[in-house]
Amino acid sequence: MNLQLKHVDFSYNRKKVFSDLSLHFPYDDLIAIVGNNGSGKSTLLKLLAGIIQPSAGQVIINGTDYKQLGNHAVAQMISYVPQFLDTAFDLSVIDFLLMMIGNKNFSINSINKEDFEKVYAGLERVGMQDFAQRNINELSGGERQKILIAGAISQNTHIMLLDEPTSHLDWNSQIEIFKLLREIAVEETRKIIVIVHDINLVSAYCRYVLLMKNGNVVAYGKTSEILEPRIIHNVFGVNVHTVEHCFIPDR
């Protein structure tokens, strides 16, 4: 599926975030969005998810403007994982995930067997199947993040958008999640766009990278061609160099 922004403007409280932004995400692969806080990464992801609307320009999927499709049709093609999970209700993990994939008014007698199998399979993919009956509000930040990722997997959408999915996870769990995302993107031919702060994770697992600064695109393309010291300095203001002796997880 092709995903595009055409001449998009967006502002928060009259503060301009994007001005005439155009982007194209044609490839089904694991794509990283990288940049300092305030560079527009999360806003971009919300525009792509249809959560917020541009003040000008278009967000387009497969040649059709989101406004013509409507929220329900967009949700059938795109799943979104926010940076934080905040729920006021005491729900089991399995009930939360059933709601997440669309059964917002379900009762114990109306649970769809196929939906149950989908969410349980999602839990298994992230190694959280033993948490199915746990209260969602009793989980740690890292555990909640894995549950959200399981929900995105369960929705079985062609496009997955994730806002810093490993921000609360330890190093081993970060590697597990990125290996999983890479596997899903390649083996299931999905488009997975993920906001990441760790350049090394991007280098190891993401085939494409989009570097942003102050609402503008600094560089966008194959990770192997984009991630080099000059561009990283331009984005972050940090001088870097590659070293031979460093710890890189096996793929």
Side-chain angles (χ1 to χ4, degrees), residues 5 12 15 27 34 45 59 67 79 90 96-97 99 108 110 116 143 165-166 184 196 218-219 229 239 242:
L5 280 79
Y12 279 122
K15 181 180 179 182
Y27 304 110
V34 179
L45 214 65
V59 185
K67 293 177 183 177
S79 55
D90 284 328
F96 172 81
L97 291 178
M99 292 179 66
I108 193 65
S110 63
F116 182 87
E143 289 166 345
T166 59
I184 293 170
V196 196
V218 175
N239 291 316
T242 57

Side-chain angles (χ1 to χ4, degrees), residues 107-232:
S107 68
I108 193 65
N109 296 319
S110 63
I111 293 176
N112 184 294
K113 181 181 178 182
E114 182 180 352
D115 286 342
F116 182 87
E117 290 174 348
K118 285 180 182 178
V119 297
Y120 197 82
L123 287 171
E124 287 186 319
R125 291 296 294 272
V126 298
M128 296 291 285
Q129 62 271 24
D130 293 339
F131 287 70
Q133 300 303 324
R134 291 276 299 276
N135 187 319
I136 192 75
N137 289 319
E138 294 176 355
L139 303 184
S140 69
E143 289 166 345
R144 290 188 185 196
Q145 203 64 25
K146 286 187 176 181
I147 296 304
L148 284 172
I149 295 169
I153 293 170
S154 302
Q155 290 175 66
N156 200 31
T157 57
H158 185 82
I159 299 172
M160 294 170 59
L161 309 174
L162 301 97
D163 192 345
E164 297 188 45
T166 59
S167 59
H168 299 288
L169 302 181
D170 58 41
W171 192 41
N172 182 58
S173 295
Q174 290 179 34
I175 293 167
E176 285 180 359
I177 291 300
F178 267 88
K179 280 185 175 180
L180 174 61
L181 293 177
R182 178 72 181 161
E183 177 185 309
I184 293 170
V186 174
E187 295 182 5
E188 300 180 15
T189 320
R190 296 203 213 185
K191 191 190 309 292
I192 302 180
I193 303 175
V194 53
I195 294 176
V196 196
H197 279 294
D198 190 324
I199 294 293
N200 290 315
L201 284 175
V202 176
S203 179
Y205 297 106
C206 301
R207 185 170 185 188
Y208 297 91
V209 61
L210 168 66
L211 291 168
M212 301 186 67
K213 182 178 181 180
N214 299 326
N216 297 306
V217 174
V218 175
Y220 176 36
K222 288 186 177 181
T223 303
S224 58
E225 299 172 358
I226 295 296
L227 285 188
E228 53 100 4
R230 177 184 57 84
I231 295 177
I232 292 174

Side-chain angles (χ1 to χ4, degrees), residues 1 4 9 13 26 44 50 77 93 136 148 150 159-160 164 188 192 233:
M1 286 185 177
Q4 291 179 270
D9 291 355
N13 299 323
L44 172 59
M77 294 181 278
V93 166
I136 192 75
L148 284 172
I159 299 172
M160 294 170 59
E164 297 188 45
E188 300 180 15
I192 302 180
H233 179 267

Side-chain angles (χ1 to χ4, degrees), residues 4-10 18-23 54-60:
Q4 291 179 270
L5 280 79
K6 283 189 175 181
H7 308 295
V8 163
D9 291 355
F10 185 83
F18 298 129
S19 179
D20 197 31
L21 177 66
S22 293
L23 276 170
S55 55
Q58 298 174 291
V59 185
I60 299 169

